[in-house]
Amino acid sequence: MQTITTTEDLAAYCERAAKHAYVTVDTEFLRERTYYSKLCLIQLAHPGEDGPDGGEGSAVLVDPLVEGLDLAPLHALFRDPGVVKVFHAARQDLEIFQVEADLIPAPLFDTQVAAMVCGFGEQAGYETLARKIAKAEIDKSSRFTDWSRRPLSEAQKVYALADVTHLRVIYEWLAAQLKKSGRARWVAEEMAVLNDPATYRVDPTEAWQRVKTRSNSPKFIAALRELAQFREAYAQQRDVPRSRVFKDDALVELASTRPASEKDLGRSRLLLREARKGEIADGILAAIDRAAKLPADQMPRAEKQRDQIQVNPALADLLRVLLKARSEAESVAPKLIASSADLDALAAGEREVHALYGWRREVFGEQALALCEGRVGLAARGSQVVTVDL
């Protein structure tokens, strides 16, 4: 097993990889103690033989923690339009390269998305695909090890390389299936989201939208927005997890009670001790003060929650039956076609819904609209549920 520790060796490997149609990629990282993922290991494999007779080696580990190693050759390979970059469940891996190098590997192929299109169910795991497609068993014993510690054990190296060696077989099989079914365009549509740099940016001014709350009070929402913005910006600037600043439950409590002094902060049941004084305390109090001074016409408004929109429950149930029927007929994971929130939105009369665009509209959206508008009904035909014109 070759571990690349010099820029020269990395450049030589990337030059070889660029002669092939694709390269499989995976990373190991840590994020428990930081806001941004800390890249600890990169795994790469191109088509070819592995083992003692594999020549210079088609699969390698790259150690980004080695001092002096420049990842520029890898970045050049990632930008090469003639080489498909294959990942499994790519989002977190891509976020690392977007943050560290301001690039997203392209062209891109995510085997998890492709597997859902090819009938492997929702959130198809790598181990499942390795077993069903590559006929390989993955040793999971090293999954939760500390990848920042050196030296890496042989077990860690074997585990890490398995994430890209079997991925070659999985990719080739899925690509062939997509070509056969004519659904490569579906996967390409999904890749557009992963290829968008905005997917990986967290705007502190929008951070409040991710916090679950039931209150729609303008004063509460204003405080929530300012507090969430402070927390996100503080966490980003210092590269610490947002929960180390204060957790969501403390955020909601602060937005509700709106303390006006450090003494008031000391009464919080949920605020960490470190957040009751110093920079964090100052930031909390300043955020609450900004919210309090907002004119009424500048107060933020919360979007309607799922339990607040006027959903027709019977229609929502019919849409769920239709989705199940269509997903089974097309052998596509239901959640890839439409989420539960999409179905409730459709049943409430909303039409700006993800399920009504692109390939989803062809597979499900058109029939869902017809059902909502009373143009079709559902009927049992043997073991299948089908639509019938009304």
Side-chain angles (χ1 to χ4, degrees):
M1 289 180 286
Q2 181 186 4
T3 300
I4 290 177
T5 57
T6 68
T7 305
E8 292 74 21
D9 285 346
L10 179 59
Y13 178 82
C14 291
E15 184 178 349
R16 297 197 304 273
K19 297 175 183 177
H20 295 274
Y22 70 87
V23 60
T24 54
V25 189
D26 191 35
T27 68
E28 304 298 341
F29 55 87
L30 294 179
R31 199 172 190 171
E32 288 80 9
R33 297 183 293 274
T34 57
Y35 182 91
Y36 298 106
S37 297
K38 179 183 179 182
L39 182 61
C40 298
L41 192 68
I42 305 167
Q43 304 98 282
L44 303 166
H46 60 67
E49 294 296 322
D50 301 313
D53 299 323
E56 292 179 293
S58 60
V60 296
L61 304 175
V62 180
D63 190 346
L65 301 184
V66 173
E67 187 175 350
L69 176 64
D70 187 349
L71 294 179
L74 179 62
H75 297 160
L77 178 64
F78 282 169
R79 293 187 180 98
D80 189 332
V83 182
V84 177
K85 271 62 73 172
V86 181
F87 292 78
H88 181 82
R91 184 162 181 154
Q92 285 188 299
D93 302 307
L94 299 178
E95 181 183 10
I96 292 172
F97 297 118
Q98 172 61 26
V99 170
E100 294 200 353
D102 192 26
L103 76 87
I104 297 173
L108 177 67
F109 189 97
D110 189 326
T111 55
Q112 185 178 71
V113 174
M116 286 193 282
V117 170
C118 290
F120 281 88
E122 298 166 0
Q123 302 297 314
Y126 181 69
E127 291 84 0
T128 299
L129 298 183
R131 184 175 64 255
K132 291 186 175 181
I133 297 175
K135 310 304 179 187
E137 293 294 333
I138 304 296
D139 180 1
K140 302 178 185 178
S141 59
S142 296
R143 173 179 289 182
F144 299 112
T145 58
D146 184 346
W147 292 99
S148 67
R149 298 186 65 178
R150 296 294 183 270
L152 295 173
S153 68
E154 288 302 303
Q156 283 178 302
K157 292 178 181 180
V158 169
Y159 171 85
L161 271 183
D163 282 346
V164 288
T165 52
H166 302 309
L167 193 55
R168 294 175 298 194
V169 179
I170 294 169
Y171 164 67
E172 291 181 4
W173 191 91
L174 289 172
Q177 288 296 112
L178 292 170
K179 184 177 181 180
K180 185 177 176 181
S181 65
R183 294 180 177 179
R185 176 176 58 85
W186 296 11
V187 176
E189 284 186 31
E190 301 307 298
M191 293 304 99
V193 176
L194 294 176
N195 278 310
D196 185 355
T199 300
Y200 311 99
R201 296 192 193 113
V202 179
D203 181 354
T205 63
E206 298 297 324
W208 68 281
Q209 302 275 15
R210 298 195 311 270
V211 182
K212 293 181 179 180
T213 177
R214 290 185 176 275
S215 176
N216 283 324
S217 161
K219 290 184 178 180
F220 170 84
I221 297 297
L224 185 79
R225 183 182 68 176
E226 296 298 327
L227 286 163
Q229 179 176 340
F230 160 69
R231 180 179 70 167
E232 203 72 27
Y234 185 95
Q236 288 179 352
Q237 291 163 8
R238 290 158 182 79
D239 195 20
V240 297
R242 60 178 67 89
S243 62
R244 287 270 298 275
V245 186
F246 45 83
K247 296 181 179 179
D248 279 4
D249 55 359
L251 172 59
V252 172
E253 180 191 47
L254 291 168
S256 299
T257 59
R258 297 189 282 283
S261 66
E262 283 194 15
K263 184 178 180 180
D264 292 339
L265 290 178
R267 299 190 183 99
S268 170
R269 297 176 299 109
L270 302 171
L271 201 59
L272 297 172
R273 182 178 300 174
E274 295 80 7
R276 299 181 184 187
K277 57 185 177 180
E279 285 185 324
I280 298 178
D282 291 343
I284 290 172
L285 296 174
I288 292 171
D289 185 59
R290 285 194 302 274
K293 292 177 178 177
L294 277 176
D297 61 349
Q298 293 181 24
M299 289 282 186
R301 295 288 185 269
E303 293 183 5
K304 287 184 178 180
Q305 303 293 321
R306 279 181 61 189
D307 57 356
Q308 295 172 324
I309 62 175
Q310 298 301 308
V311 177
N312 180 328
L315 180 55
D317 287 342
L318 287 174
L319 286 167
R320 285 174 172 78
V321 173
L322 175 63
L323 175 61
K324 187 172 183 355
R326 295 302 301 143
S327 68
E328 290 178 353
E330 297 288 346
S331 295
V332 181
K335 281 189 178 178
L336 187 63
I337 301 174
S339 67
S340 183
D342 286 339
L343 301 181
D344 285 347
L346 283 168
E350 297 182 18
R351 295 298 178 258
E352 290 297 319
V353 177
H354 196 47
L356 297 182
Y357 293 91
W359 66 267
R360 291 174 174 82
R361 188 179 184 101
E362 301 170 23
V363 171
F364 170 74
E366 287 288 359
Q367 291 190 32
L369 284 175
L371 182 64
C372 291
E373 294 166 3
R375 292 184 281 116
V376 300
L378 300 178
R381 184 171 295 164
S383 61
Q384 295 181 320
V385 172
V386 297
T387 57
V388 292
D389 292 334
L390 298 178

